[in-house]
Amino acid sequence: MSAIYYYGQDGEIADQRLINIFRLGTGELRHSGKLDADVFNVVGFLYKDNMILVVFPKHYYDKTELDRFNQSHVSLNYDIKLLYNVIKKYRETENTNAAARSYLGARDGYSADYPFKPFYEVYDYFQKYGLYREKEIRVIEGASGRVSWKDTIRKLNKMISGGNLIFSPFFTHKKNYNDVF
């Protein structure tokens, strides 16, 4: 019985059919607010019976190529071997981070003074919800941008020249976004 290959790419929308076939969950998927869909959050191989899902790194293939490969179930031997060798080499290095290492087979024990679990909980929170941003609006004299007529009329002395009302300089609103932790 030969293997049936399916393909995906990290950060790309996961096809519902693949989610059902391989029973993908939160370990392999994340919800993208930008795309409003579940996207792959893993690089590597997933097996189920004689079916193999190969998830390549971001920007490795064009989305149309992946769709074509999934329809034909072609075996991309060279790219699969290359991905396997990269993962194997990564696995053999000693300086891997604990979260990535936990997805490479059996969990290896490690000793460290750093609190990895709370760090990854905070990291996952920011990955899911992002930073909170405050918008600060300042009124600036003589800057470029959209003129704040209310502030310009209220703050400046009126000058009349040739029967015309002249305002100089103009006041504008400057928006500043502050990331709040």
Side-chain angles (χ1 to χ4, degrees):
M1 178 186 298
S2 66
I4 301 171
Y5 289 93
Y6 295 94
Y7 301 98
Q9 190 161 261
D10 186 27
E12 291 290 332
I13 296 174
D15 184 51
Q16 190 62 42
R17 184 174 56 129
L18 294 177
I19 294 172
N20 294 336
I21 290 173
F22 292 94
R23 292 189 177 108
L24 303 177
T26 56
E28 301 83 23
L29 299 173
R30 68 175 169 81
H31 185 77
S32 169
K34 183 178 177 184
L35 299 173
D36 193 30
D38 289 330
V39 296
F40 287 108
N41 193 29
V42 66
V43 173
F45 306 96
L46 296 156
Y47 302 94
K48 179 163 194 254
D49 301 325
N50 68 327
M51 297 175 287
I52 301 171
L53 173 61
V54 181
V55 184
F56 291 104
K58 289 182 180 181
H59 311 294
Y60 193 83
Y61 277 114
D62 188 52
K63 176 77 170 124
T64 55
E65 288 179 299
L66 287 175
D67 292 339
R68 189 169 41 96
F69 296 152
N70 279 330
Q71 290 173 357
S72 65
H73 302 292
V74 65
S75 174
L76 304 171
N77 287 331
Y78 175 77
D79 295 325
I80 291 172
K81 285 179 184 176
L82 180 62
L83 179 61
Y84 174 78
N85 287 332
V86 168
I87 292 172
K88 181 180 170 197
K89 186 172 184 175
Y90 177 80
R91 176 75 168 123
E92 291 169 353
T93 61
E94 293 298 320
N95 297 328
T96 59
N97 82 27
R101 197 171 175 97
S102 68
Y103 290 104
L104 297 170
R107 293 178 184 249
D108 291 334
Y110 60 93
S111 65
D113 292 335
Y114 189 78
F116 283 105
K117 188 173 190 277
F119 169 79
Y120 284 113
E121 287 173 359
V122 171
Y123 179 78
D124 289 341
Y125 176 85
F126 282 114
Q127 285 282 45
K128 187 174 183 179
Y129 299 108
L131 290 174
Y132 174 73
R133 301 185 99 187
E134 285 184 349
K135 180 169 62 170
E136 174 188 5
I137 299 175
R138 295 183 296 151
V139 179
I140 298 176
E141 181 181 335
S144 62
R146 186 172 176 204
V147 175
S148 171
W149 288 106
K150 177 182 170 186
D151 293 315
T152 300
I153 292 169
R154 189 174 41 146
K155 292 182 179 183
L156 286 179
N157 294 329
K158 281 83 179 158
M159 294 183 346
I160 299 177
S161 173
N164 294 320
L165 188 58
I166 298 176
F167 296 103
S168 178
F170 295 113
F171 284 88
T172 59
H173 283 176
K174 172 97 170 143
K175 293 180 185 175
N176 234 6
Y177 293 96
N178 299 320
D179 293 331
V180 178
F181 291 98

